[in-house]
């Protein structure tokens, strides 16, 4: 199911033994464009520290009642590695964090969630974690904040086209499927979707995202509105417009190959 990052902001977080706070924002890596942590606003409960929840602990998103279920207790969260709210998420912290919970480290292996061949889904069975996984090269993730990246400029091959307004997240895989681009300074009122797979490079210092698409191609792309239903037909039409293969085809082929 698809959810916008801004929509999820404010959703309540239900642990195994009670509510722990609300969704504040998300951290994602700029290699796989996968959500690595949900940042929780715990109010006065755990002040002065960032409370990070990995998708390994995110069970389900309830849109009707606007909450996310977490398979952790308050005690587990309170005793988890502490990160000061004014410090970045370091590799050392992540190693400590994942070691504390006993989850497989996502940065070891070629897949979105590490070296276990379940791409693009998270392996949630602890028994599977105990089995030897495929050998994989370790990589250094660079975590980005959805809040901070909103507003970044979008640069096509022949000019500016707008800015990042939001992110569309797949809550089955916790992959960022699309960036919602607001082109109000170019075509009043129109919004379009861009897949992270179409991004050529990003200048993080200059807050600019470069995509290998022309302004005219983007102008003629299917419009995205608040009422748009992101059905597979809509996605197929979007990818066909840009003559790009759908991510679902790539993921299906990768999953079949990994068996």
């Amino acid at each position: 199911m698809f959810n916008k990052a801004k929509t999820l902001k404010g959703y309540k977080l239900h642990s195994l033994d009670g509510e722990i706070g609300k969704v504040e924002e998300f951290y994602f890596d700029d290699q796989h464009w996968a959500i690595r942590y949900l940042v929780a606003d715990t109010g006065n409960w755990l002040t002065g520290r960032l409370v990070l929840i990995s998708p390994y602990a995110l069970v389900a998103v309830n849109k009707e009642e606007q909450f996310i279920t977490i398979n952790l207790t308050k005690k587990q969260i309170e005793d988890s590695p502490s990160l000061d709210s004014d410090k970045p998420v370091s590799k050392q912290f992540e190693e400590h964090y994942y070691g504390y919970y006993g989850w497989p480290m996502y940065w070891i292996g070629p897949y979105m969630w590490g070296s276990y061949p379940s791409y693009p889904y998270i392996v949630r069975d602890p028994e599977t974690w105990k089995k030897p996984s495929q050998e994989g090269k370790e990589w250094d993730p660079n975590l980005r904040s959805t809040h901070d990246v909103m507003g970044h400029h979008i640069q096509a091959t022949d000019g500016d086209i707008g800015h990042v307004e939001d992110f569309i997240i797949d809550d089955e895989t916790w992959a960022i499927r699309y960036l919602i681009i607001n082109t109000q300074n170019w075509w009043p009122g129109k919004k379009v979707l861009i897949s992270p797979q179409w991004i050529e490079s990003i200048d993080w210092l200059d807050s600019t995202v470069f995509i290998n698409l022309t302004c005219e191609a983007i102008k003629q792309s299917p419009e995205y509105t608040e009422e748009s239903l992101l059905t597979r037909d809509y996605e197929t039409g979007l990818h066909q417009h840009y003559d790009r293969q759908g991510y679902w085809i790539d993921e299906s082929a990768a999953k079949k190959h990994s068996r």
Side-chain angles (χ1 to χ4, degrees):
M1 186 180 295
F2 292 130
N3 295 282
K4 291 185 292 185
K6 284 184 179 178
T7 299
L8 292 177
K9 179 179 171 65
Y11 271 35
K12 295 179 180 178
L13 299 171
H14 291 184
S15 73
L16 293 173
D17 53 357
E19 188 177 318
I20 66 162
K22 299 179 180 179
V23 178
E24 178 65 26
E25 59 175 324
F26 298 91
Y27 287 163
F28 66 94
D29 77 87
D30 57 13
Q31 176 164 316
H32 290 285
W33 286 77
I35 298 297
R36 297 307 181 187
Y37 300 102
L38 178 158
V39 181
D41 176 0
T42 62
N44 297 324
W45 178 39
L46 297 175
T47 57
R49 58 178 280 194
L50 277 182
V51 174
L52 304 181
I53 308 294
S54 165
Y56 272 101
L58 303 180
V59 178
V61 176
N62 187 314
K63 278 191 169 184
E64 290 71 27
E65 299 182 44
Q66 299 186 355
F67 69 82
I68 298 177
T69 306
I70 299 171
N71 63 357
L72 299 173
T73 65
K74 288 184 175 181
K75 181 66 172 174
Q76 283 178 296
I77 296 170
E78 186 172 6
D79 292 345
S80 67
S82 178
L83 180 66
D84 292 342
S85 59
D86 59 348
K87 290 185 178 179
V89 181
S90 67
K91 185 71 170 293
Q92 183 179 14
F93 170 84
E94 289 198 275
E95 290 174 348
H96 191 192
Y97 178 92
Y98 270 77
Y100 169 79
Y101 284 113
W103 296 321
M105 297 178 183
Y106 69 83
W107 57 87
I108 299 179
Y111 304 108
M112 186 183 298
W113 289 102
S115 56
Y116 291 91
S118 61
Y119 180 80
Y121 300 98
I122 301 174
V123 173
R124 298 186 181 277
D125 181 10
E127 292 302 316
T128 302
W129 303 341
K130 298 175 184 178
K131 300 174 184 177
S133 62
Q134 294 186 1
E135 291 294 327
K137 184 178 179 181
E138 184 172 334
W139 54 281
D140 291 323
N142 291 309
L143 298 182
R144 311 292 178 180
S145 157
T146 51
H147 174 77
D148 291 346
V149 177
M150 289 178 191
H152 276 35
H153 304 291
I154 302 295
Q155 179 81 28
T157 56
D158 53 351
D160 297 327
I161 62 164
H163 66 270
V164 179
E165 181 172 285
D166 207 344
F167 300 85
I168 293 179
I169 301 169
D170 181 343
D171 65 23
E172 287 189 313
T173 63
W174 290 98
I176 292 177
R177 294 302 186 192
Y178 301 102
L179 285 68
I180 300 177
I181 309 304
N182 190 324
T183 66
Q184 64 183 1
N185 294 329
W186 189 23
W187 317 302
K190 183 169 182 177
K191 298 177 184 178
V192 296
L193 299 183
I194 295 295
S195 167
Q197 297 176 343
W198 308 337
I199 293 175
E200 191 170 64
S201 63
I202 301 176
D203 186 333
W204 296 108
L205 293 177
D206 196 37
S207 303
T208 303
V209 179
F210 297 88
I211 54 177
N212 192 23
L213 299 169
T214 66
C215 291
E216 185 61 28
I218 297 169
K219 184 177 182 179
Q220 298 301 326
S221 70
E223 183 175 4
Y224 173 79
T225 66
E226 297 302 316
E227 293 74 31
S228 297
L229 295 177
L230 280 182
T231 62
R232 185 48 50 87
D233 285 343
Y234 180 99
E235 290 187 280
T236 299
L238 179 67
H239 283 72
Q240 286 178 344
H241 170 76
Y242 290 118
D243 194 24
R244 304 295 175 97
Q245 183 166 283
Y247 64 83
W248 55 92
I249 298 174
D250 296 331
E251 291 177 359
S252 177
K255 191 172 184 179
K256 185 180 296 184
H257 177 72
S258 66
R259 290 174 179 169

